Amino acid sequence: MVKTNLADNIYWVGAVDWNLRDFHDFYTKRGSTYNAYLIRDDKTALVDTVKHTFSDVLLRNIREITDPEKIDYIIVNHVEMDHSSSLPIVAKEAKNAVIVASERGKDAIIEHYGAGFNIKTVKTGEELKLGARTLKFFEAPMLHWPDSMFTYVVEDKILMSNDAFGEHLATSGRFDDEVDEHVLMEEVTTYFANILMPFEPLIVRKIQELTQQNVVCNMIAPSHGVIWRKDPSKIVKAYLNWSTGTAAKKKVVIVYDTMWGSTDKMARAMAEGAISEGVEVKLLKLRASDNSQAVTEILEAKAVLVGSPTLNNGIFPTLGYFLTYVAGLKPKDKLWSFFGSFGWGGGAVRSMIEIARKAGFEVHGPGLEVKYVPDGEDLKKCFELGKQIAIEIKA
Ligand code: FEO
């Protein structure tokens, strides 16, 4: 391993997963990393482990610095298995280590791996002295699971934030200033949209809480992707802008699929209508774009138009999949409208609206359905709907 120091005696000992393409159905086109950190002092602490398929990499990285038996504490910031599934393997080597987790983290560890661990629970504000260094813990429920917490290295002002402030990006560089900035921000945006969007109000509160507690960050070291050392405030500002709606743009996203091209014609006419009002438009045909991409485009949009042809009296399968995915992520403050072509009975638009209302989305009007192939009049209605939506989001 090329040793990566965050500070004197604070090391990155994680693993790079270059080939990861699926993270619980989030398409991770650029892979990911599972970051773990080793802090050596009078006591030695390992902050997080890695996905079990990389446990050998983690142990090898630790051994280059110290004998795993010398680890005194294993801090488990989050029990989702991309971070904790090496815990049973590492704990066997680190025989004397005390596991440190939140109360809910303790429960989750036992529920995942059994009761054979020596677990110390911590609450927000509690500290653990390692020697010259102090770890301070902040519970961060739902960022990303109920058990999540942050570990702050007080003297070095390094926040080990686990899932928060991360991104799925496999790179040879470990720091923000070692990777392409455009790629980094694209992946940060994709990660936020696909993982953290449902928790926006909690993110705002957590950032406010850390600010009130005078938690200054010289570095933010998440559990995925790069460590923010050049400008940690950049990612914090981006999170606040997304979570408060400040980043929302006059942008319409059109997500659709098509059987014989009719719903495609409708989508294009709507795009033209919206463009005629000078707003930004993104058109994504599912089966050409994936759900993760669509949700990322939706993050900063003010309106979403969703089009499905009717198949067997219902929603076309790709749209059913998309709506299930996006409803779970709960995008806020967007105007939604639905459209599609049908052959005889129809049903897709009605069903999509039902799903949207159940998800709490603001639905604009009754939607627009066209029988078989849209003619000139139909396309004019599509153009007008696109234009109307654009006018509303500009108001
Ligand atoms: Fe990276 Fe919620 O796990």
Side-chain angles (χ1 to χ4, degrees):
M1 175 184 74
V2 178
K3 273 189 195 153
T4 305
N5 286 68
L6 283 71
D8 191 30
N9 281 319
I10 302 183
Y11 304 89
W12 176 89
V13 288
V16 182
D17 191 348
W18 293 94
N19 297 314
L20 183 79
R21 292 293 177 271
D22 175 15
F23 188 90
H24 54 54
D25 207 38
F26 165 2
Y27 175 53
T28 49
K29 68 179 178 197
R30 292 190 174 103
S32 192
T33 72
Y34 313 110
N35 298 337
Y37 303 100
L38 191 75
I39 305 168
R40 292 192 76 193
D41 205 315
D42 296 344
K43 301 283 185 186
T44 296
L46 174 67
V47 179
D48 288 318
T49 68
V50 299
K51 193 172 174 180
H52 68 282
T53 44
F54 292 90
S55 56
D56 57 333
V57 176
L58 172 66
L59 284 167
R60 193 170 63 232
N61 290 346
I62 293 169
R63 278 195 191 101
E64 288 191 20
I65 298 160
T66 189
D67 183 338
E69 261 194 64
K70 294 191 174 145
I71 295 173
D72 298 285
Y73 301 104
I74 303 174
I75 317 295
V76 177
N77 276 330
H78 178 26
V79 185
E80 190 161 11
M81 286 180 275
D82 51 330
H83 308 294
S84 74
S85 55
S86 288
L87 179 63
I89 300 160
V90 175
K92 255 187 207 156
E93 304 269 340
K95 294 182 186 73
N96 303 312
V98 175
I99 315 293
V100 179
S102 66
E103 280 284 351
R104 296 180 86 168
K106 177 181 177 178
D107 294 343
I109 289 168
I110 293 167
E111 282 153 4
H112 278 76
Y113 308 113
F117 299 97
N118 179 11
I119 304 176
K120 168 187 167 64
T121 61
V122 289
K123 289 186 176 10
T124 290
E126 274 189 54
E127 293 186 347
L128 181 64
K129 268 279 182 206
L130 298 180
R133 284 189 163 106
T134 315
L135 303 184
K136 189 168 183 174
F137 304 101
F138 293 91
E139 292 161 275
M142 298 319 296
L143 305 179
H144 159 231
W145 277 9
D147 60 284
S148 295
M149 66 176 194
F150 299 165
T151 297
Y152 183 58
V153 188
V154 175
E155 292 75 12
D156 302 271
K157 299 182 170 57
I158 299 174
L159 184 70
M160 295 175 175
S161 56
N162 198 268
D163 278 345
F165 309 119
E167 74 287 330
H168 287 311
L169 179 60
T171 51
S172 51
R174 299 273 63 80
F175 295 94
D176 55 347
D177 50 280
E178 295 176 330
V179 303
D180 181 287
E181 195 176 346
H182 173 76
V183 169
L184 174 59
M185 290 318 289
E186 183 187 317
E187 291 303 337
V188 162
T189 309
T190 305
Y191 180 94
F192 184 93
N194 284 274
I195 302 272
L196 292 168
M197 187 152 55
F199 311 116
E200 287 171 348
L202 300 176
I203 289 165
V204 176
R205 287 210 287 276
K206 188 52 56 185
I207 292 173
Q208 285 169 343
E209 179 196 320
L210 294 176
T211 308
Q212 282 158 8
Q213 297 279 325
N214 298 318
V215 176
V216 174
C217 296
N218 287 347
M219 277 188 213
I220 296 179
S223 58
H224 297 292
V226 298
I227 298 155
W228 300 87
R229 71 174 172 191
K230 182 180 158 201
D231 183 10
S233 69
K234 184 173 179 167
I235 185 68
V236 176
K237 276 185 209 149
Y239 269 46
L240 279 174
N241 287 340
W242 288 318
S243 301
T244 57
T246 313
K249 294 191 235 172
K250 288 166 189 154
K251 173 179 172 185
V252 176
V253 177
I254 303 174
V255 182
Y256 71 103
D257 214 328
T258 194
M259 286 168 66
W260 295 105
S262 292
T263 305
D264 180 71
K265 286 190 174 90
M266 295 176 77
R268 288 170 192 276
M270 285 178 189
E272 283 173 19
I275 291 167
S276 75
E277 282 298 319
V279 303
E280 182 185 342
V281 172
K282 277 282 162 75
L283 195 84
L284 298 104
K285 188 182 89 163
L286 296 173
R287 291 186 292 162
S289 301
D290 56 82
N291 285 340
S292 312
Q293 230 179 316
V295 162
T296 305
E297 292 295 345
I298 287 169
L299 176 66
E300 295 182 0
K302 286 193 172 179
V304 189
L305 304 181
V306 184
S308 170
T310 292
L311 178 68
N312 300 325
N313 303 320
I315 305 169
F316 196 71
T318 50
L319 269 303
Y321 177 29
F322 165 72
L323 287 170
T324 303
Y325 191 78
V326 76
L329 291 168
K330 300 181 174 63
K332 281 171 225 39
D333 303 325
K334 321 229 178 262
L335 194 57
W336 294 75
S337 188
F338 298 88
F339 65 95
S341 76
F342 67 100
W344 44 102
V349 169
R350 189 175 58 243
S351 299
M352 289 195 293
I353 288 175
E354 273 172 25
I355 293 170
R357 291 221 163 100
K358 208 170 155 196
F361 295 169
E362 185 189 345
V363 178
H364 174 280
L368 188 54
E369 286 183 290
V370 165
K371 192 168 183 194
Y372 287 123
V373 179
D375 61 15
E377 272 308 303
D378 294 324
L379 291 175
K380 210 170 150 194
K381 284 183 196 158
C382 293
F383 182 94
E384 286 304 322
L385 180 58
K387 185 180 167 81
Q388 187 55 40
I389 294 280
I391 290 168
E392 291 196 25
I393 63 166
K394 287 202 300 182

